[in-house]
Amino acid sequence: MWKGRILAQKTTASTEINRLGDNVRTRRRELGLTLQDVADGAGLSVGFISQLERSLTSPSLTSLAAISRILDVDFTALFAPPKGDSQTTRAGKRQHYALDGSSFNYERISSNFPGHILNAVILTELPGSRREVSRHEGEEIYYILSGALTVEIEGNVSVLGIGDSIHFQSSRSHSTWNHTSDVTKILVVVTTDIFGDGPVPDDAD
């Protein structure tokens, strides 16, 4: 599996999203794939993949995981979120992380152990932020902690407020956006490997 050249191609003046776009384009060409091939395999649009390669947009973690699968690269080669080393996380002490230039900020709250399926984050979305239309394997739950969120699933639009939730199959075309002028916080639980943990050996400590 290819793991090379990540985050080291540009000078230190380059942003993370610049390097990500360069690496996605380089790897796609190495595999002889078209933009359409990557888009179809990852459940995204050709326009989105093109914008990503040109560093005009940044992907959500679920989309980045889907792209890494199609490109046959380790997820952590494209982006390295915190490891789930503890089964307990504390408010105010979790590490915040984001792709440079993104409107999305994450806090990991799920851990990593043999056979785990669920992956969870607290997602903070800035006003006006929008996640790309995507579809992929698995399922997702959103629970609104603060603010509000518009969710569109195969053309059906729902507006969620504090305390509202939605649970759906990720294979259905979906997108979200923060339609408000306030920051929105969401508990997101997915079965997609958005941390690049991979399988954990059964004899792991």
Side-chain angles (χ1 to χ4, degrees):
M1 182 174 288
W2 179 85
K3 300 181 182 180
R5 292 191 300 282
I6 292 300
L7 304 186
Q9 294 176 335
K10 296 286 186 177
T11 66
T12 55
S14 297
T15 64
E16 188 175 35
I17 192 62
N18 290 148
R19 294 192 296 268
L20 175 60
D22 288 346
N23 286 318
V24 169
R25 180 175 57 252
T26 297
R27 178 55 176 167
R28 174 179 64 79
R29 290 175 174 174
E30 285 181 352
L31 295 176
L33 299 175
T34 65
L35 290 170
Q36 189 72 61
D37 291 333
V38 176
D40 289 346
L44 298 161
S45 70
V46 172
F48 178 79
I49 299 299
S50 176
Q51 288 185 331
L52 175 60
E53 291 191 356
R54 290 180 290 143
S55 305
L56 299 178
T57 191
S58 58
S60 64
L61 291 186
T62 51
S63 292
L64 190 57
I67 291 168
S68 67
R69 177 175 55 83
I70 298 305
L71 296 180
D72 194 27
V73 299
D74 287 345
F75 178 85
T76 53
L78 296 177
F79 184 62
K83 294 296 183 183
D85 296 326
S86 174
Q87 65 180 7
T88 303
T89 67
R90 301 293 182 184
K93 296 183 179 180
R94 288 184 288 266
Q95 180 180 346
H96 291 245
Y97 61 101
L99 279 165
D100 187 26
S102 173
S103 298
F104 311 111
N105 182 283
Y106 301 90
E107 299 174 60
R108 178 171 182 164
I109 61 174
S110 59
S111 60
N112 183 22
F113 52 82
H116 83 92
I117 297 173
L118 301 180
N119 299 283
V121 296
I122 294 176
L123 170 61
T124 300
E125 293 197 14
L126 296 181
S129 61
R130 179 183 290 264
R131 280 191 281 173
E132 62 278 4
V133 178
S134 65
R135 61 185 187 282
H136 49 87
E137 295 179 355
E139 55 187 292
E140 307 181 29
I141 296 176
Y142 304 156
Y143 178 86
I144 309 303
L145 300 171
S146 65
L149 186 73
T150 297
V151 181
E152 182 172 355
I153 302 174
E154 296 186 340
N156 296 314
V157 177
S158 300
V159 177
L160 306 181
I162 296 174
D164 293 339
S165 66
I166 191 167
H167 181 197
F168 59 94
Q169 293 174 306
S170 304
S171 58
R172 302 173 68 192
S173 179
H174 59 278
S175 65
T176 70
W177 61 94
N178 179 356
H179 59 276
T180 76
S181 58
D182 298 315
V183 171
T184 294
K185 281 196 170 186
I186 314 153
L187 170 62
V188 178
V189 182
V190 300
T191 53
T192 303
D193 181 8
I194 57 173
F195 303 119
D197 292 330
V200 181
D202 290 336
D203 59 353
D205 294 334

